[in-house]
Amino acid sequence: MKTIFGVFLNMLFLVKLQTSSVSAVSSRERCPKADDLESLEHLVQSGEETPEPIPTTIKGSIPTWINGSFLRNGPGKFEFGEDKYIHWFDGMAMMHRFHIHDGSVTYSSRFLRSDSYVQNLEKNRIVVSEFGTVASPDPCQSIFARFFSYFQTPQPTDNANVNFVKYKGDYYVSTETNYMRRVDPQSLETKEKVDWSQYIAVNSATAHPHYDREGATYNMGNSYGRNGFFYNIIRVPPPEDKSALEDSADLRGAEVICSIPADEPRKPSYYHSFVMSENYIVFIEQPIKLNLLKFMLYKIQGKSFHNILSWEPQYGTVFHLVHRRTGKKSPVKYRAAPMFTLHQINAYEDNGFLVMDMCCGDDGVVIGEFTLENLRRESGQAMDEFYNSLCRNLPRRYVLPLNVDENTPLDENLITLHDCKATAMKTNPEELLQYGGLEFPQINYAKYNGKPYRYMYACGFGHVFADSLLKMDVHTKELKVWRYPGLYPSEPVFVASPGAAEEDDGVVLSVVVTPRKEKSTFLLILDARTFTELGRAEVPVNIPCGTHGVFNEMG
């Protein structure tokens, strides 16, 4: 039976979004319980570099029109000497490149030579604190020097292990601090460190920027000081003619187009990404809170960053709407029930409404749970208990009325879109639940981001790491699935075929790993339309589970 899954809106003094009674049931409670899950310990072990490209073994066929590199990022080294990281997010960034040309594929990889990596390697211990691990004082220091080191301001890490991003035509690897690293997408060579605060007044930036069709890049970053805590929308202009410019990082012209004050100044929200349509940017202030007092004291207390984040549902969720071209913030504040989101699917405008699709969960406790101890649990009961405790994310649609003013009537449903029955998105969550929910969503971004769309690609989570690939028709809710026991695919990335006329005319790329057999990684190529396998490129290396990736098309 199909169920209402989404939100409806009514007008109070603010615009208030309320989830339907059906979606109030926790997805954790509705998902099938795991039974005898296998251990994933081998997928979170340190990898080894392959700096020079090596050939792969092709099974099936690789379309000859694919010409470029599939670039992946993620944690790849989890210890230095006797010191071991605590959280999966702490691992040193490892970059991977699958270069595809004329039906053949080569593979290479390198660790990012961040300051964090280099200093840790030189000292053969962890000397830079990460998200879930606090670096210990130098044992060679005197007892007084070690004591006073606890009172020094911790320096943000440049261990950019989340994503590949692009500014003015250059590739960078990024995390969620104020530092990025420019990289060569061909050789994976590490280039200069870039500090956002040298260009604009922000203390951090996300690893999930958006790109407009004119070539500009948008991102979000925090700032805090005497005037409070602000969420800032950043715009980096399109690239200039680089023929006369030096080979160096160039963020000149970057500007903050809007600063949004935190709804709770002493407890600002954590966020991983944001929403962008053709004309609007939406910042979602969710109730994963950062305690600023604890933040200032966390090194003294010996606590890592992830320990000062807390899920506080009493604050609910606030949607802040900003016009992308003017930077003007809407005077309307949209409020919703508490929810947690990491990744958005798409957003578009439709007859005076902003439709936003995203992957949402019922609580945000999950971020802190991805410790290496949990991920390395033994097969069976121990792993089952961990997996069953996790919140599962599912696709959810929010619809914001754009034309709200003092004349808008109170207590009246404002959604009149013809395809929004019961003011909500109709779908069949039970079908998705059998795949453990849905995350790491992707679309045909180049052509359909910010526009009405039909297809999305994502990972299903029948295990702690993704164990299936999903294609959903958001019109009919039809699902297509790629899933095989013991195989764990990465985030799917869509690549359009030359001259594609249809939205799903192309391929989907994913890197598949397995804990069952040594050195059995492969690049999977699916026909995006039928979601059937075209071919795979097997590479005799062990690749740790990663985070995000992009396709770098070659001319």
Side-chain angles (χ1 to χ4, degrees):
M1 181 180 72
K2 291 193 173 182
T3 325
I4 299 301
F5 186 65
V7 298
F8 63 87
L9 294 84
N10 63 2
M11 182 67 185
L12 299 174
F13 293 102
L14 305 168
V15 174
K16 187 177 181 182
L17 292 79
Q18 299 178 333
T19 53
S20 67
S21 58
V22 173
S23 61
V25 179
S26 167
S27 59
R28 183 191 292 108
E29 299 170 15
R30 291 151 60 208
C31 276
K33 298 299 182 183
D35 183 23
D36 199 27
L37 291 177
E38 65 183 333
S39 174
L40 301 180
E41 181 175 4
H42 293 297
L43 303 186
V44 283
Q45 300 292 344
S46 295
E48 296 182 359
E49 290 183 312
T50 309
E52 296 300 322
I54 60 173
T56 63
T57 301
I58 305 298
K59 299 290 180 66
S61 63
I62 311 296
T64 56
W65 58 261
I66 305 176
N67 185 27
S69 297
F70 187 32
L71 305 174
R72 292 274 304 160
N73 196 356
K77 184 172 176 60
F78 301 100
E79 65 283 312
F80 287 92
E82 298 298 316
D83 290 357
K84 294 177 171 53
Y85 287 115
I86 294 173
H87 201 281
W88 181 51
F89 296 172
D90 301 336
M92 294 290 98
M94 191 175 192
M95 303 173 289
H96 309 268
R97 177 179 183 249
F98 288 86
H99 183 59
I100 310 169
H101 177 69
D102 198 25
S104 64
V105 181
T106 60
Y107 169 79
S108 58
S109 64
R110 287 180 185 266
F111 286 113
L112 179 71
R113 262 56 178 184
S114 61
D115 289 351
S116 299
Y117 177 88
V118 171
Q119 291 172 24
N120 293 337
L121 198 63
E122 288 176 348
K123 298 289 187 179
N124 196 32
R125 65 183 184 86
I126 296 172
V127 299
V128 179
S129 296
E130 299 291 342
F131 176 79
T133 305
V134 177
S136 301
D138 188 343
C140 297
Q141 289 180 325
S142 69
I143 188 171
F144 296 105
R146 275 182 280 157
F147 173 76
F148 284 112
S149 72
Y150 283 108
F151 297 91
Q152 296 172 353
T153 303
Q155 293 300 308
T157 181
D158 66 336
N159 176 34
N161 64 1
V162 178
N163 205 358
F164 280 85
V165 298
K166 206 170 184 180
Y167 295 97
K168 291 191 172 185
D170 284 335
Y171 274 100
Y172 300 78
V173 284
S174 179
T175 179
E176 295 183 332
T177 69
N178 56 305
Y179 292 124
M180 300 186 296
R181 279 284 184 167
R182 194 166 70 98
V183 295
D184 185 325
Q186 308 300 321
S187 65
L188 302 181
E189 176 190 358
T190 302
K191 296 193 173 184
E192 68 267 44
K193 181 167 72 172
V194 177
D195 183 352
W196 274 106
S197 65
Q198 298 301 307
Y199 293 89
I200 49 177
V202 297
N203 308 108
S204 65
T206 82
H208 287 288
H210 277 289
Y211 309 96
D212 70 17
R213 288 171 177 81
E214 290 73 46
T217 306
Y218 294 80
N219 207 338
M220 291 201 63
N222 298 330
S223 63
Y224 48 89
R226 292 182 178 178
N227 296 325
F229 193 103
F230 294 88
Y231 313 107
N232 302 289
I233 299 173
I234 304 162
R235 180 183 183 273
V236 179
E240 303 167 0
D241 181 6
K242 298 207 68 173
S243 59
L245 301 178
E246 296 181 359
D247 179 23
S248 61
D250 178 20
L251 295 183
R252 290 175 299 174
E255 60 179 336
V256 171
I257 63 172
C258 183
S259 292
I260 303 167
D263 208 47
E264 297 290 335
R266 295 183 179 180
K267 288 189 174 182
S269 295
Y270 169 78
Y271 58 96
H272 188 68
S273 57
F274 61 100
V275 176
M276 190 173 88
S277 69
E278 190 69 25
N279 292 296
Y280 295 95
I281 288 173
V282 180
F283 169 64
I284 303 166
E285 195 171 10
Q286 58 190 357
I288 304 177
K289 295 297 183 179
L290 166 65
N291 188 308
L292 289 183
L293 178 59
K294 289 183 179 179
F295 177 70
M296 291 184 285
L297 297 176
Y298 83 93
K299 188 175 182 183
I300 299 173
Q301 297 172 335
K303 292 183 178 180
S304 58
F305 185 83
H306 89 280
N307 285 319
I308 59 176
L309 293 173
S310 59
W311 173 247
E312 302 193 34
Q314 68 271 22
Y315 291 110
T317 305
V318 182
F319 294 81
H320 299 276
L321 181 70
V322 176
H323 199 286
R324 181 168 71 86
R325 303 183 193 281
T326 66
K328 184 178 179 180
K329 183 177 179 295
S330 170
V332 180
K333 186 171 287 188
Y334 303 85
R335 289 190 177 274
M339 65 88 163
F340 159 66
T341 183
L342 285 174
H343 303 112
Q344 283 71 54
I345 303 167
N346 199 6
Y348 59 90
E349 297 143 45
D350 187 356
N351 293 312
F353 299 93
L354 180 61
V355 180
M356 302 182 299
D357 295 343
M358 59 191 76
C359 294
C360 299
D362 303 310
D363 67 62
V365 179
V366 64
I367 292 179
E369 299 299 324
F370 274 62
T371 63
L372 290 169
E373 181 182 12
N374 279 335
L375 295 176
R376 291 170 177 167
R377 289 190 182 198
E378 294 182 355
S379 301
Q381 182 179 354
M383 182 59 79
D384 293 347
E385 288 177 353
F386 174 50
Y387 174 78
N388 292 333
S389 72
L390 297 175
C391 174
R392 318 295 164 77
N393 284 7
L394 291 165
R396 188 177 298 175
R397 173 165 290 181
Y398 289 87
V399 182
L400 305 185
L402 298 174
N403 302 317
V404 178
D405 57 29
E406 63 275 8
N407 297 318
T408 303
L410 299 177
D411 299 320
E412 182 177 305
N413 176 37
L414 303 179
I415 302 302
T416 57
L417 283 177
H418 68 280
D419 59 348
C420 283
K421 296 181 181 179
T423 68
M425 176 180 176
K426 283 191 73 176
T427 185
N428 187 351
E430 302 310 319
E431 186 175 5
L432 280 174
L433 288 172
Q434 69 176 300
Y435 301 107
L438 182 153
E439 251 297 348
F440 291 103
Q442 291 282 321
I443 61 170
N444 182 343
Y445 188 94
K447 291 290 182 67
Y448 288 89
N449 185 62
K451 295 182 177 182
Y453 72 112
R454 183 163 184 170
Y455 301 109
M456 59 174 282
Y457 312 93
C459 290
F461 279 80
H463 205 315
V464 175
F465 286 136
D467 69 341
S468 63
L469 294 172
L470 308 174
K471 176 188 179 182
M472 174 182 271
D473 183 326
V474 299
H475 292 178
T476 67
K477 312 306 177 289
E478 177 190 4
L479 274 180
K480 288 184 168 68
V481 182
W482 184 92
R483 188 183 199 183
Y484 293 92
L487 298 182
Y488 297 87
S490 72
E491 168 190 62
V493 171
F494 176 83
V495 181
S497 61
E502 301 296 329
E503 181 181 341
D504 60 348
D505 187 356
V507 297
V508 168
L509 306 179
S510 177
V511 177
V512 180
V513 296
T514 179
R516 299 185 179 184
K517 187 178 179 182
E518 282 286 300
K519 299 183 177 181
S520 298
T521 302
F522 61 90
L523 172 65
L524 174 69
I525 297 93
L526 298 178
D527 183 309
R529 181 171 296 171
T530 63
F531 224 55
T532 55
E533 181 174 337
L534 295 174
R536 60 179 67 180
E538 298 176 344
V539 56
V541 298
N542 291 325
I543 296 181
C545 268
T547 46
H548 296 288
V550 298
F551 183 74
N552 178 31
E553 186 174 353
M554 306 295 292

